[in-house]
């Protein structure tokens, strides 16, 4: 088993990455039901949380069935990040995670996210203040460095551990790479193999199949993996990886019945979290992904994204189930979306 302070996770845990506008509570519940071991919220601005911004406050909400959950903060000001940590403390997640990895221009311009990679002393001070300001275990997610000339993750890992963090997730790219090129896990392995490091080290970047998960587990020796883009529209990636790790056998892709059931579960949680109107609207972007691969599905998708009442939507989903009864889904490679494709470096 893997332990993050008092939190006990299965051997080689599978973590759901924090993704803005993706990993909200309904999506996290779906991933939990399909095998994810630890969730993280969308990242939350320390500034917004202190100002009591409604959007930031909503991101603190957690369904009990998705636990354990880490709430992720970002910010570049020590005092404000510490104040935000105190707010998170009273909401009772399992842990608090600091985002030093988000490459989005607007976040970096604030001196937050991966912008902190330019100033490692500041990163350490921010972390120390968070650790002192909360009773929760503090973890960090970051990248290899700012650019190819500053891949200082080995130094960063040691200093963050000394600052009191309980686990570290490393995305195998620099900030300047964004999501381009192939993630470099060799430096992640160096951190894990450093005899000074005793906290769990999780790898992140490009895991899009059970085979690659096992390959990277064996080659780089990390304590677990974090999955982000591969889970968008395909929450079954977690159960497929776990099954492959345990048996060496590939699972069949989710059936039509399983896909429809996930649509209904996700819709139910979306309604529970956002209410009828907003919950129905929020689900519209998910149907395309969940029903991908079904022939001649366009008509059904069009109806699903235009209907406004739950009974009508459920009736269409039931019609999908009847229409494709007995249809065998084919496995297709997971396409990793360019998550921040409109972000200017």
């Amino acid at each position: 088993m893997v332990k993050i302070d008092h939190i006990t996770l299965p051997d080689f845990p599978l973590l759901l990455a924090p993704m803005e506008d993706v990993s909200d509570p309904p999506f996290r519940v779906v991933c939990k039901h399909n095998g994810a071991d630890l969730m993280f919220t969308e990242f939350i601005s320390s500034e917004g949380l202190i100002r009591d911004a409604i959007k930031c406050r909503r991101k603190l909400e957690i369904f009990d069935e998705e636990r354990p959950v880490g709430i992720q903060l970002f910010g570049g000001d020590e005092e404000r990040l510490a104040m935000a940590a105190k707010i998170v403390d009273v909401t009772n997640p399992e842990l608090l995670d600091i985002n030093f990895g988000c490459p989005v221009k607007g976040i970096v311009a604030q001196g937050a996210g991966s912008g902190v990679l330019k100033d490692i002393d500041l990163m350490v001070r921010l972390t120390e203040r968070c650790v002192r300001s909360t009773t929760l275990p503090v973890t960090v997610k970051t990248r290899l460095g700012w650019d190819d000339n500053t891949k200082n993750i080995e130094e960063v890992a040691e200093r963050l551990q000394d600052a009191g963090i309980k686990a570290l997730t490393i995305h195998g790219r620099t900030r300047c790479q964004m999501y381009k090129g192939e993630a470099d896990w060799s430096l992640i392995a160096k951190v894990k193999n450093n005899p000074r490091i005793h906290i769990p080290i999780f790898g992140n970047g490009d895991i899009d199949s059970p085979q690659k998960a096992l390959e990277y587990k064996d080659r780089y020796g990390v304590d677990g993996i974090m999955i982000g883009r591969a889970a968008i529209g395909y929450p079954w990636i977690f159960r497929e990886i776990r099954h492959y790790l345990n048996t060496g056998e590939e699972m069949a892709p989710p059936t039509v019945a399983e896909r429809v059931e996930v649509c209904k579960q996700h819709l139910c949680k979306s309604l529970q979290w956002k209410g009828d109107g907003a919950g129905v609207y929020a689900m519209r972007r998910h149907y395309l992904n969940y029903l991908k691969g079904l022939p001649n599905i366009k008509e059904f998708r069009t109806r699903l994204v235009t209907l406004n009442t739950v009974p009508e939507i459920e009736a269409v989903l039931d019609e999908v189930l009847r229409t494709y009864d007995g249809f065998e889904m084919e496995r297709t490679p997971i396409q990793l979306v360019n998550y921040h494709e409109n972000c200017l470096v």
Side-chain angles (χ1 to χ4, degrees), residues 227-293:
I227 297 169
R229 295 177 293 159
I232 299 175
Y234 202 81
W236 303 280
I237 184 71
F238 296 100
R239 72 173 190 184
E240 291 181 1
I241 289 175
R242 181 63 64 197
H243 181 79
Y244 193 79
L245 292 177
N246 289 340
T247 68
E249 298 177 353
E250 189 175 62
M251 286 187 74
T255 63
V256 176
E258 287 172 322
R259 291 169 184 264
V260 169
E261 181 59 27
V262 163
C263 284
K264 289 183 175 181
Q265 289 176 0
H266 199 155
L267 174 62
C268 178
K269 285 300 176 183
S270 186
L271 298 171
Q272 184 179 337
W273 189 52
K274 293 191 172 184
D276 287 355
V280 166
Y281 181 79
M283 270 301 295
R284 289 178 174 175
R285 60 193 175 122
H286 295 288
Y287 297 121
L288 171 64
N289 290 321
Y290 286 152
L291 301 177
K292 184 178 181 180

Side-chain angles (χ1 to χ4, degrees), residues 11-137:
D11 182 48
F12 201 74
L14 308 177
L15 286 57
L16 173 64
M19 294 179 285
E20 180 68 1
D21 293 327
V22 176
S23 50
D24 59 12
F27 180 73
R28 297 196 304 262
V29 167
V30 169
C31 289
K32 177 71 173 184
H33 289 171
N34 282 280
D37 298 306
L38 176 62
M39 313 291 163
F40 289 89
T41 64
E42 302 167 84
F43 59 68
I44 303 171
S45 164
S46 57
E47 295 278 348
L49 201 53
I50 293 168
R51 291 197 310 268
D52 203 28
I54 293 175
K55 184 176 181 180
C56 292
R57 290 281 178 166
R58 286 299 305 275
K59 291 180 180 180
L60 294 175
E61 296 175 8
I62 297 169
F63 288 126
D64 282 339
E65 64 192 283
E66 59 174 297
R67 294 181 183 273
V69 177
I71 289 178
Q72 190 183 76
L73 293 177
F74 72 89
D77 181 272
E78 296 171 52
E79 189 64 33
R80 293 183 180 276
L81 192 60
M83 291 172 63
K86 292 181 183 294
I87 297 172
V88 169
D89 204 24
V90 301
T91 64
N92 198 34
E94 277 67 36
L95 58 85
L96 185 156
D97 190 71
I98 309 173
N99 184 314
F100 292 139
C102 177
V104 172
K105 184 179 181 181
I107 304 299
V108 172
Q110 301 174 36
S114 60
V116 184
L117 289 167
K118 291 182 175 182
D119 188 343
I120 303 308
D121 290 339
L122 173 61
M123 180 188 288
V124 173
R125 293 197 304 271
L126 288 166
T127 303
E128 288 174 338
R129 286 298 300 275
C130 261
V131 170
R132 293 200 304 267
S133 300
T134 180
T135 60
L136 298 166

